Amino acid sequence: MEGKEQDVSLGANKFPERQPLGIAAQSQDETKDYQEPPPAPLFEPSELTSWSFYRAGIAEFVATFLFLYITILTVFGVQRSPTKCQSVGIQGIAWAFGGMIFALVYCTAGISGGHINPAVTFGLFLARKLSLTRALYYIVMQVLGAIVGAGVVKGFEGKHRYAQYNGGANFVAPGYTKGDGLGAEIVGTFVLVYTVFSATDAKRSARDSHVPILAPLPIGFAVFLVHLATIPITGTGINPARSLGAAIIFNQDRGWDDHWIFWVGPFIGAALAALYHQVVIRAIPFKSK
């Protein structure tokens, strides 16, 4: 036994804990190799006179338009097929949503931040990553883009076929309760927004600068995985603009009956993700000024 204890002791000394814990970890901030971005003001009137502000909103509009266009067409393609084997199936739908988010975030991240989702915008606003002015503007442009995207799909498919496929609208599937749907939306959006915070974290970017990974990749992959899990429950919203755009163009009772779930759920999930990342993971409120 004495020999084994000695081996354990040698092993512990040979491989010491390299990551400081607790207060020791927070004390490293004095010598940190990254710059914490300052919190955004609640209102920023000067933004309204800047072209970059409006350009960012246009980028959000176009990105959300393309997102709805590609993803709803993919959903229709699966529903049109006699059997799932003759289509891309649920996996293909999930890839369409995740792949489009990856591509669109990559394209727009340097212009608007690549939100493409009111829940993401809301979570980042709570973390003071952008002003209330910009957050509201982004949400309006995202919703408008989603409406136009769903409208273009309806124009391609025709009114009859669009209604036959439920317009790509979100609703709670038979066999599940509204509580099930709400829970699925909360957890699914938490996964997405938490991934957004982690992938765009200034500290992570500095610490993992040697790792050649794009922030849009884990974000798109999170969307893909959430769709795999929750398509059978709600069709997967986790994006109020996507749900509203499809519901407005579909404009049937079925698209509106459960619609509140696809706003309340994502906003709760986004708020919880922002709270968890900022307070628990980064402990920003407890850091010395």
Side-chain angles (χ1 to χ4, degrees):
M1 286 295 293
E2 184 177 350
K4 289 185 178 180
E5 289 177 359
Q6 187 175 7
D7 290 342
V8 172
S9 177
L10 289 173
N13 292 329
K14 186 177 181 181
F15 303 103
E17 178 62 60
R18 297 185 180 183
Q19 192 71 13
L21 303 175
I23 297 175
Q26 293 187 21
S27 66
Q28 281 191 323
D29 288 345
E30 297 177 1
T31 58
K32 61 188 180 183
D33 58 350
Y34 68 96
Q35 186 67 35
E36 195 76 57
L42 185 60
F43 296 102
E44 187 64 40
S46 61
E47 287 183 321
L48 301 177
T49 61
S50 171
W51 164 243
S52 63
F53 175 78
Y54 297 100
R55 180 185 63 184
I58 294 170
E60 288 292 310
F61 172 88
V62 172
T64 315
F65 158 73
L66 294 173
F67 179 62
L68 267 288
Y69 171 75
I70 294 296
T71 55
I72 292 182
L73 277 179
T74 304
V75 171
F76 283 7
V78 172
Q79 292 178 327
R80 184 184 298 114
S81 299
T83 65
K84 292 290 190 295
C85 294
Q86 296 179 8
S87 70
V88 295
I90 289 179
Q91 294 87 347
I93 293 174
W95 274 120
F97 278 88
M100 280 303 291
I101 287 297
F102 168 70
L104 294 171
V105 171
Y106 178 82
C107 292
T108 60
I111 303 171
S112 66
H115 297 190
I116 323 171
N117 185 335
V120 172
T121 300
F122 180 66
L124 293 174
F125 164 71
L126 292 181
R128 300 190 67 184
K129 302 293 185 182
L130 72 164
S131 67
L132 177 61
T133 312
R134 185 175 290 266
L136 293 175
Y137 176 52
Y138 277 14
I139 291 173
V140 169
M141 296 302 283
Q142 290 158 0
V143 168
L144 291 176
I147 294 171
V148 175
V152 171
V153 173
K154 184 176 182 179
F156 284 168
E157 295 290 336
K159 186 176 181 180
H160 173 72
R161 190 156 51 190
Y162 192 84
Q164 180 183 355
Y165 300 146
N166 297 317
N170 290 116
F171 49 83
V172 178
Y176 294 96
T177 66
K178 294 184 187 298
D180 296 333
L182 181 62
E185 289 297 304
I186 291 173
V187 176
T189 310
F190 179 92
V191 171
L192 168 60
V193 178
Y194 177 43
T195 304
V196 170
F197 273 105
S198 298
T200 59
D201 192 295
K203 184 176 182 179
R204 175 182 292 274
S205 299
R207 185 189 65 196
D208 299 339
S209 58
H210 63 287
V211 181
I213 186 169
L214 297 169
L217 182 59
I219 296 172
F221 201 63
V223 172
F224 164 69
L225 293 174
V226 171
H227 275 76
L228 281 183
T230 61
I231 282 176
I233 304 173
T234 62
T236 310
I238 68 170
N239 185 334
R242 171 260 187 275
S243 300
L244 181 60
I248 287 176
I249 301 301
F250 180 45
N251 198 28
Q252 301 289 334
D253 290 341
R254 191 178 190 186
W256 292 116
D257 289 343
D258 303 327
H259 186 69
W260 64 272
I261 291 172
F262 302 99
W263 283 87
V264 175
F267 273 46
I268 292 176
L272 291 175
L275 181 68
Y276 176 65
H277 183 267
Q278 297 295 97
V279 177
V280 178
I281 300 300
R282 292 298 310 280
I284 288 178
F286 308 112
K287 291 181 179 179
S288 57
K289 302 297 181 182

